[in-house]
Amino acid sequence: LILVNVFALIGNFVFTLLARVVIFVWKAKLVRFNGATQEDADGADATWVSMLVIYINLLFICLLPIWAVPGVGLLTPGEFYAAAAVYSLQVGSLAAFSRSLLEALTPPDCKSEFFSFFEISGKGTSFLGPLVFTTFNELFGSVRWGIFAILIFLFLGMIILACVRPTKGVADAQAFHLTEEIVVEVRLRQETSK
C-alpha cells in the first residue's frame, strides 16, 4: 500500500511536469511560428493537454489487465510489484488531470454542483467494478480473467472521453451564467402568473 501511494505521488509529479513542458512548447510554437501574440498563446487550450495525459494514463492502465491474462504474465512477486508501480504511476495523475479537465469544463457559478455530481457518480457506481470482476471470476474460474474484465470500463471511459470537445466545452462553460438564467426564469414565471 505504501508502494502504491509513493508511486502515485511520483506519477502525479512526472505527468504534471510533462504537461507543463507540453504547454510551454505549445505556447512557444504559437508565438514563434503562427504569429500569435503572447495573449493569444496564454489563452491556448490547456484542456487538450489534460486530455492527452488522461489518454496516456488510460493506455498504460489498459496494459495491466492484458498482462494479467493467464499465460501472459504476472507470474512472480516481482512482476506484481512492477504492475502495482505502473498502475499507481498512472492513477495518481489520472485523478488529478480528470479533476483539472472537469474544472475547465464547469461553468464558474456551478463549480460545487458539478464536483458534487462527479464525486457522487464515482461513489454511486463503485459497485460495478467488483460486480464485473466477480462475475468474470466465477464464469471463467480465474482471478486473472476478472482483472481482464476491467478493460470494459477502461474502454468505455476512452469512448466517452473521445466525445468531449474541450474548446467548445470551455467556451460554453464561460458563457453560462446560472444566476442570470434563474433571474430570467423567475421573471417569466411572474409574468405568466399575472
Side-chain angles (χ1 to χ4, degrees):
L1 186 60
I2 292 173
L3 177 71
V4 170
N5 287 328
V6 167
F7 277 99
L9 181 65
I10 292 169
N12 193 5
F13 174 75
V14 167
F15 280 101
T16 301
L17 185 64
L18 172 73
R20 288 182 186 205
V21 168
V22 169
I23 289 172
F24 176 77
V25 170
W26 188 354
K27 286 182 181 181
K29 177 192 167 292
L30 285 175
V31 170
R32 183 158 185 199
F33 298 111
N34 293 348
T37 64
Q38 186 62 41
E39 291 80 25
D40 293 337
D42 288 339
D45 197 3
T47 56
W48 283 103
V49 176
S50 291
M51 287 184 62
L52 175 67
V53 171
I54 291 170
Y55 269 117
I56 291 169
N57 292 144
L58 286 173
L59 287 173
F60 273 104
I61 290 173
C62 283
L63 294 176
L64 295 176
I66 294 169
W67 193 10
V69 171
V72 176
L74 292 182
L75 304 173
T76 66
E79 287 179 338
F80 280 103
Y81 284 119
V86 169
Y87 177 78
S88 56
L89 278 172
Q90 308 312 311
V91 169
S93 63
L94 184 62
F97 279 97
S98 65
R99 284 177 174 76
S100 152
L101 182 62
L102 178 65
E103 194 277 329
L105 298 175
T106 302
D109 297 340
C110 304
K111 299 276 186 213
S112 60
E113 290 89 345
F114 276 67
F115 276 94
S116 296
F117 181 72
F118 179 72
E119 290 300 321
I120 288 172
S121 63
K123 301 294 182 203
T125 58
S126 62
F127 72 94
L128 291 174
L131 177 68
V132 170
F133 178 86
T134 305
T135 302
F136 272 69
N137 185 21
E138 290 297 317
L139 286 175
F140 298 108
S142 174
V143 173
R144 291 176 181 270
W145 287 110
I147 294 171
F148 188 74
I150 301 302
L151 279 175
I152 295 168
F153 294 107
L154 296 172
F155 285 131
L156 282 175
M158 288 176 146
I159 291 168
I160 292 169
L161 188 62
C163 296
V164 173
R165 300 290 172 249
T167 306
K168 183 179 181 330
V170 169
D172 289 347
Q174 296 303 319
F176 181 80
H177 297 288
L178 181 64
T179 53
E180 292 175 12
E181 300 292 326
I182 292 173
V183 168
V184 169
E185 187 176 325
V186 169
R187 285 185 185 156
L188 286 174
R189 285 184 184 172
Q190 288 173 349
E191 290 175 4
T192 56
S193 66
K194 289 181 182 180

